[in-house]
Amino acid sequence: MLDTTRFAYYVPTLSFSFEHDIRARFQRLHLRAQSLFISLQSMSKYPCTANDVPAIFREPFIRRGYRSIHKPWSYYWKSLFHKHNETINVWSHLLGIVYMFYLLYYYNQRLNFFGNSHSWPFAVSLATATIMFACSAFAHLLHSKSDSIHRTCFAIDYVGVSLHGFGSGFLHIYYSAPEWYYNKIEYQYIFILLLVAITACVLNCFAQHHYRRPYPPMKRVCQFLPCGILWVYSVIPLIVRLVPMQFPLDTISMCHAGQMIFFIIGATLFAFDLPQRFCPGTLDFFGQGHQLFHLCIYFVTICQMHGVFWDYEASRTIIDQRTKPDLIFCAGSMICLILCDIVAVWTFRYWLCVKKQTD
């Protein structure tokens, strides 16, 4: 039998015994973790509850940590460094911007964006992802100032969503689609992708400006349906590449399948307000479905970029023999989408101002 006394003599800092009550230890560990989690959720600096702010600022099943409205702009900028129910949402996407710049540097070393025109679709996708993270971070940081600012901030957030969906599709069709599919549908695919991305932004802006709380189910239909169509259309080249699946999957196929799985998980948590639906008020600071969605988007981006890069490496001889992408086509399509989305945001913002004056 093992002499635990001698073991404890040589390692005196460890309290170890086979006779120790393991169940009691786990109970104490659980209580400590629970206490730490409860204290983590405390947000005394921003004591507003859901009852203290107008309905438009309330999030389902989030009870505390709301910021006051109609404060100076400095109040919201300074809240970046304080604890409230949007802190994690803001910082997760600010760190996402840093990560995008790292990927820009990392892939530029390997693809030479300035000298290799076949790498331009990759640069476009990195740019659209960076804009998406920036739009979301600033929307979550500044939206609490007023009703109109709230609607405008999240309309700008939809610009980022529209751009990211477009950039993802652009990336997939150029590097990951089978050659026969690329030759058959390249320009038609990009044109339809552009229209779907614009439609997603327009319908989300419409839903944000038209509907009032308590929101009818149609609001979510107007928001999630076009975004879902945009996502499905953007991953069609991956689906064509993966079907029929052959197991075991290689590393590249695992990346492509992984990014789709992570997106579906994140979108489900976000769309159905999970897990805070089952414990209202418990996840006000950390653990909300929206935050988990942000985390899933990180994994989507990692899987997407690495999987597509390896596709390019594996098919570089074929891809480099194609007609070189036109800079105006690559950058121009992205700029066209940005301008159309800005027009949509401005139009609905103007419509909101006119409606306020007539009320």
Side-chain angles (χ1 to χ4, degrees):
M1 184 174 180
L2 181 64
D3 187 355
T4 57
T5 305
R6 178 171 295 183
F7 182 81
Y9 174 79
Y10 287 106
V11 192
T13 57
L14 296 178
S15 176
F16 179 84
S17 172
F18 285 114
E19 291 79 16
H20 193 79
D21 188 347
I22 300 299
R23 183 176 180 181
R25 171 170 287 190
F26 277 111
Q27 285 177 343
R28 288 197 298 270
L29 183 63
H30 170 73
L31 290 174
R32 288 178 184 175
Q34 187 180 50
S35 176
L36 177 63
F37 185 77
I38 292 173
S39 64
L40 185 67
Q41 299 292 340
S42 176
M43 293 170 287
S44 57
K45 186 173 181 65
Y46 296 96
C48 291
T49 66
N51 296 326
D52 300 323
V53 296
I56 190 173
F57 300 105
R58 300 172 194 162
E59 292 299 325
F61 313 107
I62 304 301
R63 302 289 187 247
R64 299 166 298 150
Y66 290 92
R67 291 166 291 175
S68 301
I69 63 174
H70 303 309
K71 294 288 187 180
W73 282 109
S74 59
Y75 170 86
Y76 303 99
W77 286 107
K78 289 177 181 178
S79 71
L80 176 64
F81 304 103
H82 297 137
K83 200 174 179 182
H84 50 85
N85 58 23
E86 291 281 24
T87 301
I88 302 298
N89 285 328
V90 176
W91 275 103
S92 60
H93 274 182
L94 287 178
L95 294 176
I97 297 172
V98 175
Y99 181 62
M100 287 298 104
F101 279 117
Y102 164 73
L103 288 183
L104 188 64
Y105 169 80
Y106 177 84
Y107 285 116
N108 183 51
Q109 297 297 308
R110 288 152 180 78
L111 299 177
N112 185 18
F113 292 142
F114 295 100
N116 176 16
S117 57
H118 290 287
S119 70
W120 289 345
F122 216 111
V124 168
S125 183
L126 284 170
T128 56
T130 304
I131 295 172
M132 180 270 294
F133 281 122
C135 289
S136 180
F138 289 109
H140 284 288
L141 179 64
L142 302 174
H143 75 90
S144 297
K145 184 173 175 61
S146 68
D147 182 304
S148 61
I149 293 297
H150 174 91
R151 297 180 189 279
T152 303
C153 279
F154 283 108
I156 294 173
D157 189 19
Y158 304 139
V159 172
V161 172
S162 169
L163 278 167
H164 184 52
F166 174 79
S168 295
F170 205 163
L171 195 67
H172 297 154
I173 189 63
Y174 197 77
Y175 299 108
S176 297
E179 190 65 12
W180 65 267
Y181 185 76
Y182 172 82
N183 292 331
K184 184 177 181 180
I185 201 172
E186 177 198 5
Y187 289 103
Q188 298 95 315
Y189 177 89
I190 297 297
F191 178 71
I192 294 173
L193 182 67
L194 185 63
L195 292 179
V196 174
I198 294 171
T199 302
C201 181
V202 169
L203 287 179
N204 273 274
C205 288
F206 168 78
Q208 184 67 30
H209 287 80
H210 179 70
Y211 294 107
R212 297 290 185 272
R213 288 187 186 271
Y215 293 134
M218 185 55 65
K219 180 178 186 289
R220 291 217 160 187
V221 172
C222 287
Q223 289 185 304
F224 289 109
L225 182 61
C227 288
I229 293 173
L230 175 60
W231 176 74
V232 170
Y233 191 74
S234 73
V235 298
I236 283 177
L238 300 184
I239 296 173
V240 172
R241 183 192 185 284
L242 291 174
V243 176
M245 279 191 175
Q246 296 181 352
F247 294 94
L249 297 177
D250 57 35
T251 304
I252 301 175
S253 297
M254 287 178 65
C255 281
H256 293 325
Q259 73 151 301
M260 290 188 278
I261 292 170
F262 278 123
F263 186 88
I264 292 171
I265 292 172
T268 301
L269 294 173
F270 178 34
F272 294 99
D273 300 314
L274 301 173
Q276 66 267 27
R277 176 181 292 273
F278 301 114
C279 45
T282 304
L283 306 173
D284 291 345
F285 174 66
F286 179 76
Q288 307 164 24
H290 199 121
Q291 297 165 358
L292 298 177
F293 175 66
H294 283 194
L295 180 62
C296 287
I297 291 298
Y298 279 123
F299 289 125
V300 167
T301 305
I302 292 171
C303 292
Q304 180 186 64
M305 295 301 173
H306 287 304
V308 170
F309 173 73
W310 290 330
D311 272 334
Y312 185 24
E313 289 288 285
S315 307
R316 191 156 192 161
T317 303
I318 298 174
I319 293 174
D320 287 349
Q321 289 176 353
R322 297 173 181 168
T323 303
K324 291 185 177 181
D326 187 78
L327 181 60
I328 296 177
F329 174 70
C330 291
S333 57
M334 181 180 72
I335 293 171
C336 176
L337 177 57
I338 292 174
L339 292 176
C340 290
D341 286 350
I342 289 175
V343 169
V345 172
W346 181 87
T347 300
F348 283 105
R349 168 76 178 174
Y350 176 77
W351 174 58
L352 179 64
C353 292
V354 171
K355 190 175 180 180
K356 276 191 173 184
Q357 292 175 358
T358 55
D359 288 345

